[in-house]
Amino acid sequence: MSQPPDLPLPVARSVASLRQTVADWRKAGLRIGFVPTMGALHAGHLSLVERAKERADRVIVSIFVNPTQFGPTEDFSKYPRQEASDAARLAAFGVDVLYSPSVEEMYPAGAATTVSVGVVTERLEGVFRPTHFSGVATVVAKLLNQVQPHVAVFGEKDYQQLLVVKRLVADLDIDTEIVPGPTVREADGLAMSSRNAYLSEEDRAVAASLPATLNFVASQLRSGVDAGPILEAGRARLLKAGFREVQYLDLADAATLAPLERADRPARLLVAALVGATRLIDNIAV
Ligand code: AMP
């Protein structure tokens, strides 16, 4: 693997060149950390890189906008792609290798295997994005087989995804420790997301009511009262603030995502809502 003249760190674009580097590091007894992303990097991604650096001698970040996790009407083609500026940020953060395969490298002609994780995928995102988690599980299984990291860091921002990845790794005996990273937020509380770039100024002001509502609802739920009426009030508050649709605002068991009537055990409050054409998700511990 070489360092292209136009990019500030070594880039692997093929599975073969990635494997060569990883094999050399493993032979030298080095611990390998991995952060998978879809690029358009922000401080949330970089916080995961920090966590990986704390736990490993070498860190690989992947940038791959995975077509199979987008639904037919979703934003795959317009998803932001900015490899050169992402690479500069990763180099400045001390990342050792950027892994940036093409769609053809990841899914060669004839590929016919998908990974399907049950139970934890059934509710919440699984209802509104029915093909999403099989795309995620398949690409994460492939990435973990390609990189073979000792540790991989995933954000709590995508809380259901984090649980799906933990399930996948346990069920397929993948020898990688999955470490969660807390959600990094803007000054007004909005969770950082590559999709925030889609928000108009007006939408951006509406979006700030998402974390505010989560905090309000969670503080009520922490007193142990019935969730139903409080969740309903939360949904109404989001619509009043200018959200076009609230797909879900639900209380769930933090480990299984089974629905909860009240927060009588470790719980998570999760939301998906549409502002303009943009779909935002967020969650917090209760
Ligand atoms: P993405 O590029 O959106 O696929 O995200 C790549 C990784 O970054 C996933 O593990 C996300 O959960 C994580 N992530 C995204 N946004 C944030 C954030 N605001 N704080 C922490 N982690 C995040």
Side-chain angles (χ1 to χ4, degrees):
M1 180 183 35
S2 60
Q3 181 165 333
D6 53 334
L7 288 174
L9 80 172
V11 181
R13 299 206 185 270
S14 69
V15 178
S17 73
L18 175 79
R19 281 197 198 281
Q20 184 59 58
T21 300
V22 168
D24 291 346
W25 288 345
R26 283 199 167 248
K27 218 176 289 165
L30 298 170
R31 254 179 86 77
I32 298 163
F34 177 47
V35 180
T37 82
M38 299 203 300
L41 301 178
H42 50 66
H45 296 115
L46 297 176
S47 75
L48 305 186
V49 171
E50 279 293 296
R51 281 179 113 72
K53 285 181 67 174
E54 286 162 14
R55 290 164 175 79
D57 304 303
R58 295 286 183 275
V59 172
I60 298 176
V61 172
S62 65
I63 295 180
F64 181 65
V65 185
N66 175 35
T68 68
Q69 71 188 68
F70 289 77
T73 63
E74 294 181 358
D75 56 343
F76 173 69
S77 56
K78 74 163 185 169
Y79 197 86
R81 290 165 173 87
Q82 45 181 61
E83 188 182 90
S85 59
D86 285 348
R89 299 189 79 174
L90 294 176
F93 247 68
V95 167
D96 296 283
V97 166
L98 167 59
Y99 177 44
S100 183
S102 66
V103 172
E104 295 70 34
E105 178 73 6
M106 193 60 96
Y107 301 110
T113 303
T114 56
V115 178
S116 157
V117 176
V119 187
V120 72
T121 54
E122 281 166 12
R123 296 185 61 241
L124 306 164
E125 289 298 284
V127 173
F128 293 93
R129 305 184 74 189
T131 60
H132 174 64
F133 284 125
S134 78
V136 169
T138 303
V139 81
V140 170
K142 285 170 68 68
L143 286 166
L144 293 177
N145 272 331
Q146 292 165 354
V147 178
Q148 299 198 9
H150 297 86
V151 55
V153 189
F154 288 81
E156 290 180 344
K157 163 71 169 45
D158 300 283
Y159 190 81
Q160 191 172 11
Q161 170 176 283
L162 170 64
L163 295 188
V164 170
V165 170
K166 284 185 173 170
R167 188 74 259 160
L168 161 84
V169 163
D171 291 352
L172 296 185
D173 307 301
I174 295 174
D175 192 15
T176 297
E177 181 195 355
I178 303 302
V179 171
T183 301
V184 176
R185 297 176 179 280
E186 304 285 357
D188 64 0
L190 181 65
M192 289 189 184
S193 165
S194 307
R195 290 191 167 95
N196 291 352
Y198 301 153
L199 297 170
S200 67
E201 205 176 313
E202 203 178 318
D203 292 345
R204 177 64 186 78
V206 173
S209 65
L210 198 62
T213 302
L214 280 184
N215 284 323
F216 167 76
V217 171
S219 68
Q220 308 259 312
L221 291 172
R222 285 185 193 113
S223 61
V225 294
D226 283 350
I230 293 162
L231 294 171
E232 201 42 58
R235 291 181 202 113
R237 185 175 156 143
L238 289 171
L239 294 172
K240 187 152 179 267
F243 276 92
R244 179 160 70 74
E245 182 188 341
V246 180
Q247 292 189 330
Y248 58 82
L249 173 63
D250 279 350
L251 183 68
D253 182 292
T256 66
L257 293 185
L260 286 185
E261 303 279 325
R262 60 193 65 80
D264 53 6
R265 68 197 79 172
R268 207 85 192 175
L269 179 64
L270 304 103
V271 67
L274 303 176
V275 53
T278 308
R279 184 174 185 275
L280 298 178
I281 61 169
D282 200 351
N283 68 87
I284 57 171
V286 177

